[in-house]
Amino acid sequence: IPMALLRKINQVLLFLLIVTLCGILYKKVHKGTMVKAEADDDAETAEDVEEEIPVVICAAAGRMGATMAAINSIYSNTDANIVFYVVGLRNTLTRIRKWIEHSKLREINFKIVEFNPVVLKGKIRPDSSRPELLQPLNFVRFYLPLLIHQHEKVIYLDDDVIVQGDIQELYDTTLALGHAAAFSDDCDLPSAQDIDRLVGLQNTYMGYLDYRKKTIKDLGISPSTCSFNPGVIVANMTEWKHQRITKQLEKWMQKNVEENLYSSSLGGGVATSPMLIVFHGKYSTINPLWHIRHLGWNPDARYSEHFLQEAKLLHWNGRHKPWDFPSVHNDLWESWFVPDPAGIFKLNHNS
């Protein structure tokens, strides 16, 4: 083969080699960019999930209007990205969806979660003094990680609340290292003159646990320890699972069935007492303005208008609910009421 031709072939081969190398290099760089772009997308997605604020609230058959008013107040007072987990028993799920989708709440981001009361079998002692407190949904707060999966931090609220502040503030509550939850202390109550009107109010462990029982005495918790109210909870799901909080709460429900450990004098003790034991000395605190409570305690006890305006969250715990008669400060509650599209839930203010 003449030298000139060989040189020509070599040049062509070299050219092809360079083209191939360039092609491989381009592919590599392009793929790297794609992977980076996808990674960026993933990072954005992770951030989006992080920014979602999960709020868990129950919707019980006879008082669904309470849940809807609470949701309306939360949604109307924030720009945060809220996802509502509305928890109900199987026979109410369709009604919950209809109420949301056929009212002003249709804009909200929500998921309906069924709670199966079979998990409570053998764990609840029948108590006739306030049967409404034995409703299965009262114990939903014990099972948060089983109902909510993709969130690290969760807010749980009782249905008889109204939120006047931006829920983002409550969500930003700092939980100390190793704490699975934050609650509002019962000693962080409003001024003394307001407390005087709340006669018979319990704010220590003695009101919830029966200190005559050995099992309770053996806990070594002073009866004068300040209690907390689990109607507003900011919870860390990782810690909750790590500490097996649900299992611990179930253990103390079971023990109560066997030994009747909780003070019968107190209405709210059914769900509160096990939490007081399990979380003793191991919880963070919520800003007191984020849980102004006892509005349902006594229909003659009114808070000052100024104080109520300052409050970020109002809770009508007690027998006197704001959709019923007699009750106090129901005008504040009623301003958030969402009428029932099915016409079943009605306000009762002039019985």
Side-chain angles (χ1 to χ4, degrees):
I1 300 169
M3 271 316 262
L5 188 58
L6 270 176
R7 202 175 289 120
K8 201 86 164 165
I9 289 168
N10 280 343
Q11 282 173 343
V12 170
L13 286 172
L14 190 63
F15 175 72
L16 285 173
L17 188 63
I18 289 167
V19 168
T20 310
L21 281 171
C22 285
I24 290 167
L25 206 59
Y26 172 76
K27 264 196 171 155
K28 269 215 161 121
V29 171
H30 185 63
K31 191 177 175 191
T33 316
M34 289 291 284
V35 168
K36 188 177 182 311
E38 280 169 21
D40 287 349
D41 284 352
D42 287 349
E44 272 174 44
T45 312
E47 269 173 33
D48 288 348
V49 169
E50 204 47 53
E51 282 168 9
E52 229 176 27
I53 297 180
V55 174
V56 178
I57 189 162
C58 294
R63 42 196 279 170
M64 216 172 272
T67 309
M68 301 305 161
I71 289 173
N72 186 23
S73 70
I74 295 163
Y75 183 71
S76 304
N77 284 311
T78 188
D79 290 325
N81 179 15
I82 313 289
V83 56
F84 292 98
Y85 287 85
V86 188
V87 185
L89 302 179
R90 177 170 292 174
N91 60 350
T92 61
L93 305 182
T94 313
R95 191 170 162 222
I96 295 169
R97 183 172 299 282
K98 276 194 176 145
W99 198 323
I100 293 172
E101 290 179 350
H102 295 94
S103 71
K104 66 191 291 190
L105 299 178
R106 65 178 67 88
E107 301 295 317
I108 70 168
N109 179 11
F110 72 101
K111 291 174 181 158
I112 292 176
V113 181
E114 180 187 349
F115 181 66
N116 188 342
V118 76
V119 294
L120 301 173
K121 200 168 172 6
K123 298 186 184 80
I124 301 174
R125 163 181 281 276
D127 176 10
S128 56
S129 66
R130 281 191 68 188
E132 76 273 17
L133 294 167
L134 299 176
Q135 294 300 332
L137 294 178
N138 235 347
F139 301 93
V140 160
R141 69 197 95 197
F142 289 12
Y143 295 94
L144 294 176
L146 300 180
L147 301 168
I148 313 299
H149 302 296
Q150 71 268 48
H151 301 281
E152 168 78 3
K153 200 176 188 183
V154 171
I155 292 173
Y156 167 89
L157 299 176
D158 273 352
D159 61 356
D160 50 356
V161 305
I162 287 299
V163 171
Q164 302 188 131
D166 184 341
I167 197 90
Q168 178 81 50
E169 275 180 46
L170 180 61
Y171 185 73
D172 291 339
T173 299
T174 306
L175 270 70
L177 204 63
H179 284 178
F183 306 98
S184 187
D185 262 332
D186 283 336
C187 298
D188 292 343
L189 282 168
S191 60
Q193 85 246 22
D194 287 321
I195 292 179
D196 288 344
R197 300 178 201 150
L198 303 173
V199 179
L201 193 66
Q202 305 288 352
N203 65 353
T204 63
Y205 273 51
M206 194 164 59
Y208 293 86
L209 307 178
D210 187 346
Y211 274 85
R212 294 168 303 182
K213 301 282 162 72
K214 185 180 184 304
T215 306
I216 296 299
K217 278 190 207 146
D218 289 350
L219 288 167
I221 301 171
S222 160
S224 61
T225 303
C226 197
S227 53
F228 57 79
N229 184 302
V232 177
I233 308 173
V234 181
N236 178 318
M237 293 294 93
T238 307
E239 276 299 331
W240 192 292
K241 287 184 274 198
H242 176 66
Q243 295 179 33
R244 299 166 65 84
I245 298 289
T246 299
K247 276 270 170 279
Q248 291 188 57
L249 290 166
E250 286 187 325
K251 180 185 100 174
W252 283 101
M253 287 169 82
Q254 207 101 46
K255 274 185 181 291
N256 182 49
V257 169
E258 294 156 12
E259 304 176 47
N260 195 11
L261 301 174
Y262 307 142
S263 175
S264 56
S265 66
L266 196 88
V270 194
T272 304
S273 303
M275 296 195 95
L276 290 178
I277 295 171
V278 171
F279 284 102
H280 174 251
K282 286 188 295 195
Y283 66 92
S284 298
T285 51
I286 288 168
N287 173 343
L289 287 176
W290 270 101
H291 197 172
I292 298 303
R293 52 199 179 278
H294 308 307
L295 275 75
W297 196 260
N298 175 354
D300 300 319
R302 298 185 73 86
Y303 286 120
S304 74
E305 289 309 313
H306 172 72
F307 181 67
L308 291 171
Q309 279 166 9
E310 295 287 300
K312 307 279 192 179
L313 180 148
L314 300 171
H315 186 185
W316 279 263
N317 59 315
R319 291 172 189 266
H320 303 281
K321 302 304 183 192
W323 54 89
D324 244 327
F325 179 87
S327 57
V328 286
H329 304 302
N330 39 17
D331 51 323
L332 285 171
W333 183 87
E334 224 171 299
S335 63
W336 299 109
F337 177 59
V338 179
D340 181 359
I344 302 166
F345 184 96
K346 290 185 172 68
L347 301 179
N348 170 23
H349 281 163
N350 49 0
S351 301

